[in-house]
Every structure is written in structure tokens, then in C-alpha cells.
């Protein structure tokens, strides 16, 4: 039992790597230590791509879970709180150019638990690919393995310095192999680069000033918690179930191979007569001594004597118990991952009612994930505005932004049209009965129609009231034109009749 318990614990913790270093802070007698263990990034990626041999038959659930969350989260849009047009254009240009990288950021953070984005501003004077810009801010995603340490202020918990380490291998012009380990220490005041081994061409080693005055690295930490230094992968809670699913299915397949071919069972009173009647063997002893074998192929009919019988030995329910266990594991994965079962394919027994019941749960989870990453996106927006202002000699009144997410609507087009029709009819009756004002009806209907404006605005700004008046005027003109046309036709008919 002890060995079994140890093996189970080992399987559950496979997606977590412990660390020898921890961060301790607090007063005497009330100290605490941050959990500095990390996700096993390599195993998490193998589960996502289903390349881990010991998970092959169960890790197929990993990719739909990550991709579904990433797709529903989508990409945010950041708007300036003070309405600064110049700052808004700088933000829109940056986020428009990096949509794919932003999508990758969400995916990596959900899969690996951590995703680091390093913003750098580089000149484009000699770059023929970007002739329209003299310089641009680059969106660099750092592999989480390269972040060796995060040094924090013991009182405020703010990041003081990032320590990055990476190994590089290449060949020079003569074909000789070169290798080095590059260590970078990045703080708000400096950037220090150290190289252990061969120095790559074009690399500057040493210490230089950080002109920005802040660390241009944003940490997207999934399932952020004040007790953990690093994030948590979405695959961690379901990793034991993926391993169990693989083991159960593997054993079921092995059992199916072993027992799928039934074994013939013969109950004979005279073996010699049976062999003679069915296989033409008149001397069984000589046949056996010469190594002869019996081939049942082509013998659909066996001749048996009295009191003799033939049957097949079959294993009843070779995979029956396994199927029940696999269903249990499947629903354990669904419940633990908080992803609806229909995400894993239309072959699952999901009725329309179950889909409708599970969608609100998924929407609430997506909204929670969005809120977790909102602060990181706002920090990145502040960095982009600060870099743009300092590099271009500009000054923005504020760097405060609001993160806007595309609303998730699980309704079909038909359901949306039916609801809009009912709402419109109800507002029309309320206005006719003098229960609400025309302005209130328009304001309420604007929640359903994105193209509607505010009912009334100050100054010369367009509003919905002006639009409605123009539409009424045009309609009246068309009705008057139609009335005049009908009168003209009537007069022509009368004149033609008189003639």
C-alpha cells in the first residue's frame, strides 16, 4: 500500500517542479514563504500537443480545453480614460500589429501558467520591411524557462529585478560549434549582460543604463495567487485524470487484443475418432511425434459423437468495466476543467438542454479569466504610452486605460432576432400607453443594437434623435410623392375615359 500511495503521489505531482529557492518575508513569528515551485513547462506542452508517451491515450483532452478558453477570451481593446486621441492612436497601432502575439500570450499563460512579454523599442532606419516607421515597439514573448529568478521588494512585493538565463548554440564560418550561456539582470535602473562561453557576434556584454526607468516586462500569471510566485497551468488539476484515462484505455485495449479471439473448447470421448472424422488423422501418436498441427480454417462443420460437445471460451465484458470507468474519468475531466462536455466533440451524449445549461458556467469562467489578465494588459498599455512619450518627445496627460472585452453571447441568430422583436413590441406598446418616454425607449433599445447612438448629445455631435427626425422626414416625403403619383394616375384615367 505504501508503494502504491507513493506512485500515485508521484503521478499527481508530475506537472509541478519544486524549487530549492523561496522568498520569505514578514515580521518575526508571522513570516511566510512564497511557493516558488513551477509548472513543468515541457510536460505541459507535451500534454497540449499529445506527444507524451505515458499520456498518449488521455492527453487528447488537453488541447480542446486550452483552445476553447483562448478562443472565448479573445483579444481586449484598451481605451484612454481621458479621451486623449494621440494616446489612443498609439495604443490602437500597437495592439493592431500584435494581435496574433496577444492571442499566443493567452494560450501560453493558460497552458504553461506563466507568460512573460518583454517590450523593446528598436529603430527601423535600416530595416526594409518597415519603411513606414522610424522606430517601433517590439512585442517579445520570453520562454518561461528563461526566467530564472524574480527578485521582489520584501515589503511591497513589487518586482525589483528579473534574472534571465538562456543557452545558445551555433556554428561559426569554419563550422566549429560554439556555445554560451547568457545571463541578463534587468531592473528599473540598469541592464546587465554576462556571457559564459563564446560571445555571439554583435552582442554587447556589460552593464548599461535602463533609459525607461521601469522594467519593461509584463508577467501574465494564470490563476494568480499571493502565496505563489508563479502561475498555475489549466492542465494541472486534470493531469491525474489524463494519466488514469490513458492507463485504463491501454489496459482495455491490451485485454481486447488478448481476448477478442475466442478459444475453442472440445469435450470428446474418443479423440482418435474425432481426428479421423474431421482431419483425416489415423495415427494421432505418429502425427504428434512429427510435430503436426491442426488448422481449423475451412472447418466450419465439426463431426462429433454422442456425449461430445464443442464451444468457445469467451471473456464476458472484456471492456465493459473499462467503459464505465472511462465514462467516470471523462466526467471527472469535464467537472475539474470547468469546460462543457460538448467542447470535446459532437460524439459525446450532449443534448441541447445540457448545452444551454453549461454555457452560462463557461461564460462566467471566461469573464473570471479576463478579469485575471486585465491588470497585466493595463500595465502593458502604460509601458507602451510611456515608451512612446519618451521616445517621441511627447507628453500624455494620463496613462490610465480601460480594458474592453467583446461580450460573449451564447444565443443563436434566430434567438437574438426573436428577443429583439419582443423587446421592440413591448417598447412600442409602453410608448403608446404613455408608460415611458420616447427617449427612455430609445435608450433601452440601444442595449440591443450596437449601431444606435445616444438619444441626445451636446453640441454638433450626431445623436439618435436627429437620425430619427431625418428618417421621419424622408418617409413623409416618400409618402407625399406616392400620394401625388396616385392623384396623377387617377386624373389620367378620368381623361382617357372622357375621350
Amino acid at each position: 500500500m505504501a508503494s502504491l500511495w507513493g506512485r500515485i503521489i508521484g503521478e499527481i505531482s508530475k506537472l509541478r517542479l519544486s524549487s530549492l529557492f523561496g522568498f520569505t518575508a514578514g515580521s518575526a513569528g508571522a513570516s511566510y514563504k512564497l511557493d516558488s515551485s513551477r509548472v513543468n513547462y515541457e510536460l505541459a506542452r507535451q500534454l497540449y500537443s499529445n506527444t507524451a508517451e505515458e499520456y498518449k491515450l488521455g492527453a487528447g483532452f488537453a488541447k480542446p480545453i486550452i483552445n476553447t478558453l483562448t478562443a472565448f477570451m479573445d483579444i481586449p481593446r484598451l481605451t484612454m480614460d481621458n479621451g486623449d486621441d494621440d494616446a489612443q492612436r498609439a495604443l490602437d497601432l500597437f495592439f493592431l500589429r500584435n494581435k496574433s502575439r496577444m492571442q499566443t500570450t493567452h494560450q501560453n499563460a493558460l497552458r504553461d501558467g506563466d507568460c512573460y512579454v518583454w517590450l523593446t523599442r528598436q529603430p527601423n532606419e535600416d530595416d526594409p520591411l518597415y519603411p513606414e516607421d522610424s522606430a517601433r515597439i517590439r512585442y517579445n514573448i520570453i520562454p518561461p524557462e528563461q526566467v530564472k529568478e524574480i527578485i521582489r521588494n520584501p515589503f511591497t512585493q513589487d518586482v525589483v529585478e528579473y534574472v534571465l538565463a538562456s543557452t545558445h548554440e551555433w556554428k561559426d564560418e569554419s563550422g566549429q560549434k560554439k556555445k554560451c550561456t547568457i545571463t541578463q539582470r534587468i531592473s528599473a535602473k540598469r541592464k546587465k549582460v554576462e556571457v559564459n562561453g563564446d560571445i555571439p557576434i554583435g552582442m554587447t556584454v556589460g552593464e548599461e543604463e535602463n533609459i525607461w526607468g521601469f522594467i519593461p516586462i509584463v508577467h501574465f500569471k494564470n490563476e494568480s495567487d499571493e502565496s505563489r510566485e508563479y502561475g498555475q497551468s489549466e492542465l494541472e488539476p486534470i493531469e491525474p485524470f489524463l494519466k488514469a484515462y490513458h492507463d485504463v484505455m491501454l489496459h482495455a485495449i491490451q485485454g481486447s487484443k488478448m481476448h477478442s479471439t475466442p478459444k475453442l473448447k472440445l469435450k470428446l470421448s474418443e479423440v482418435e475418432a474425432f481426428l479421423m472424422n474431421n482431419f483425416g488423422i489415423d495415427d494421432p501418436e505418429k502425427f504428434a511425434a512429427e510435430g503436426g498441427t491442426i488448422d481449423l480454417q475451412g472447418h466450419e462443420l465439426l463431426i462429433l459423437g454422442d456425449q461430445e460437445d464443442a464451444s468457445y471460451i469467451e471473456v464476458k465484458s472484456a471492456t465493459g468495466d473499462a467503459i464505465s470507468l472511462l465514462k467516470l474519468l471523462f466526467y471527472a475531466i469535464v467537472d475539474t476543467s470547468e469546460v462543457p462536455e460538448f467542447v470535446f466533440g459532437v460524439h459525446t451524449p450532449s443534448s441541447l438542454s445540457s448545452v444551454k445549461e453549461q454555457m452560462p458556467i463557461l461564460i462566467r469562467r471566461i469573464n473570471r479569466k479576463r478579469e485575471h489578465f486585465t491588470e497585466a494588459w493595463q500595465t502593458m498599455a502604460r509601458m507602451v504610452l510611456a515608451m512612446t512619450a519618451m521616445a517621441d518627445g511627447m507628453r500624455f496627460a494620463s496613462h490610465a486605460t480601460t480594458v474592453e472585452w467583446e461580450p460573449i453571447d451564447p444565443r443563436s441568430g434566430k434567438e437574438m432576432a426573436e428577443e429583439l422583436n419582443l423587446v421592440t413590441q413591448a417598447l412600442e406598446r409602453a410608448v403608446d400607453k404613455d408608460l415611458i418616454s420616447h427617449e427612455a425607449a430609445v435608450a433601452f433599445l440601444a442595449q440591443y443594437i450596437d449601431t444606435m447612438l445616444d438619444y441626445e448629445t451636446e453640441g454638433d455631435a450626431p445623436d439618435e434623435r436627429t437620425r430619427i427626425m431625418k428618417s421621419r422626414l424622408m418617409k413623409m416625403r416618400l409618402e407625399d410623392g406616392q400620394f401625388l403619383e396616385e392623384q396623377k394616375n387617377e386624373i389620367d384615367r378620368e381623361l382617357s375615359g372622357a375621350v
Side-chain angles (χ1 to χ4, degrees):
M1 179 62 69
S3 60
L4 176 60
W5 175 251
R7 183 169 62 85
I8 294 176
I9 291 296
E11 291 178 356
I12 294 176
S13 60
K14 277 186 177 180
L15 205 55
R16 203 76 185 171
L17 296 177
S18 61
S19 175
L20 299 177
F21 304 97
F23 182 82
T24 305
S27 59
S31 62
Y32 62 91
K33 185 175 181 180
L34 287 178
D35 181 7
S36 57
S37 62
R38 300 197 192 193
V39 175
N40 187 338
Y41 302 126
E42 182 62 28
L43 179 56
R45 293 165 190 153
Q46 290 179 359
L47 292 178
Y48 176 79
S49 58
N50 199 10
T51 57
E53 293 296 332
E54 63 271 23
Y55 292 87
K56 276 282 189 179
L57 300 177
F61 298 102
K63 180 173 286 188
I65 292 173
I66 301 299
N67 288 354
T68 299
L69 296 178
T70 303
F72 273 94
M73 285 184 66
D74 203 8
I75 302 301
R77 183 180 184 272
L78 285 91
T79 57
M80 298 300 302
D81 290 348
N82 61 347
D84 191 328
D85 294 337
D86 293 334
Q88 188 64 56
R89 279 193 294 269
L91 278 181
D92 291 342
L93 179 62
F94 174 78
F95 281 91
L96 179 63
R97 287 178 171 176
N98 297 285
K99 276 189 174 182
S100 61
R101 293 186 178 91
M102 294 168 66
Q103 192 87 1
T104 302
T105 299
H106 282 163
Q107 176 182 300
N108 291 358
L110 296 172
R111 182 192 63 197
D112 302 337
D114 302 292
C115 185
Y116 301 88
V117 178
W118 187 357
L119 301 183
T120 58
R121 195 174 192 275
Q122 299 178 350
N124 291 334
E125 297 175 356
D126 300 329
D127 193 345
L129 298 179
Y130 297 91
E132 68 276 9
D133 297 325
S134 59
R136 65 188 178 96
I137 300 176
R138 295 192 59 179
Y139 191 109
N140 308 283
I141 298 178
I142 308 173
E145 298 92 334
Q146 293 186 9
V147 180
K148 295 303 179 183
E149 189 177 359
I150 302 177
I151 302 176
R152 296 181 178 274
N153 185 300
F155 300 103
T156 64
Q157 296 295 305
D158 294 333
V159 177
V160 176
E161 189 176 56
Y162 279 97
V163 181
L164 311 181
S166 58
T167 301
H168 298 268
E169 297 181 1
W170 73 97
K171 291 183 180 179
D172 59 11
E173 295 180 355
S174 61
Q176 294 183 353
K177 292 183 178 181
K178 301 291 184 178
K179 183 178 181 180
C180 71
T181 299
I182 302 174
T183 302
Q184 303 180 75
R185 306 183 72 92
I186 305 169
S187 66
K189 296 182 179 180
R190 65 162 189 170
K191 174 185 175 183
K192 185 177 181 180
V193 179
E194 299 176 348
V195 178
N196 183 12
D198 302 309
I199 300 178
I201 300 175
M203 171 165 286
T204 302
V205 180
E207 184 175 331
E208 62 181 16
E209 180 186 2
N210 184 355
I211 62 174
W212 306 120
F214 57 87
I215 304 176
I217 297 178
V218 183
H219 183 188
F220 288 83
K221 184 166 69 171
N222 187 43
E223 295 296 329
S224 177
D225 190 276
E226 64 275 3
S227 64
R228 288 198 300 263
E229 181 71 56
Y230 302 98
Q232 182 181 19
S233 171
E234 291 295 316
L235 303 180
E236 283 188 72
I238 65 170
E239 182 266 336
F241 301 114
L242 299 181
K243 184 66 171 68
Y245 198 98
H246 167 86
D247 292 341
V248 172
M249 181 168 286
L250 179 63
H251 295 160
I253 292 175
Q254 292 174 345
S256 177
K257 289 182 179 180
M258 183 182 301
H259 303 294
S260 58
T261 303
K263 306 299 187 295
L264 181 62
K265 174 184 176 182
L266 297 172
K267 182 180 178 182
L268 304 174
S269 57
E270 295 183 6
V271 178
E272 295 82 358
F274 173 79
L275 295 175
M276 182 63 188
N277 294 334
N278 295 278
F279 301 98
I281 302 173
D282 54 358
D283 190 349
E285 295 182 1
K286 179 180 178 182
F287 181 78
E290 293 176 352
T293 58
I294 298 175
D295 187 4
L296 294 177
Q297 187 174 2
H299 291 76
E300 290 80 5
L301 178 64
L302 295 177
I303 301 175
L304 302 173
D306 295 338
Q307 306 300 324
E308 294 182 341
D309 190 18
S311 61
Y312 283 102
I313 302 176
E314 295 182 288
V315 177
K316 296 182 179 179
S317 185
T319 58
D321 296 336
I323 291 176
S324 301
L325 185 53
L326 288 175
K327 287 183 178 179
L328 175 63
L329 291 172
F330 170 76
Y331 285 109
I333 293 172
V334 170
D335 294 339
T336 307
S337 65
E338 299 180 85
V339 173
E341 58 183 287
F342 59 81
V343 167
F344 301 105
V346 296
H347 61 281
T348 55
S350 302
S351 63
L352 180 60
S353 59
S354 66
V355 171
K356 288 185 176 181
E357 291 171 357
Q358 295 175 46
M359 278 304 298
I361 300 174
L362 178 62
I363 292 174
R364 285 195 294 270
R365 189 185 184 208
I366 295 300
N367 290 332
R368 182 173 65 87
K369 287 293 180 185
R370 287 175 168 180
E371 292 298 327
H372 281 184
F373 290 130
T374 293
E375 184 178 355
W377 288 119
Q378 289 176 324
T379 302
M380 180 180 293
R382 288 182 176 273
M383 292 181 181
V384 171
L385 294 174
M387 286 181 169
T388 303
M390 284 187 281
D392 298 341
M394 304 172 62
R395 181 176 179 82
F396 301 126
S398 173
H399 293 173
T401 57
T402 299
V403 179
E404 298 178 354
W405 301 89
E406 188 72 21
I408 304 173
D409 197 336
R411 298 172 299 171
S412 63
K414 180 181 178 181
E415 292 173 337
M416 296 173 62
E418 291 176 350
E419 181 176 354
L420 181 60
N421 182 42
L422 293 175
V423 170
T424 305
Q425 292 178 2
L427 292 176
E428 183 181 3
R429 293 183 60 185
V431 172
D432 292 342
K433 299 296 184 180
D434 296 328
L435 298 177
I436 62 174
S437 65
H438 189 251
E439 181 179 356
V442 172
F444 187 84
L445 190 60
Q447 302 176 17
Y448 293 84
I449 303 176
D450 298 335
T451 55
M452 293 182 66
L453 302 176
D454 294 337
Y455 183 77
E456 192 171 2
T457 58
E458 298 180 357
D460 297 332
D463 52 37
E464 198 64 30
R465 178 172 173 269
T466 305
R467 285 182 172 183
I468 294 174
M469 293 176 63
K470 289 182 179 179
S471 299
R472 285 181 176 177
L473 181 60
M474 183 178 296
K475 184 178 180 182
M476 292 172 59
R477 289 176 178 175
L478 293 175
E479 290 177 350
D480 291 343
Q482 183 178 2
F483 176 72
L484 294 175
E485 183 68 21
E486 292 177 353
Q487 283 186 326
K488 179 178 178 300
N489 294 336
E490 183 66 24
I491 294 174
D492 291 341
R493 284 195 296 270
E494 291 179 358
L495 292 176
S496 61
V499 174

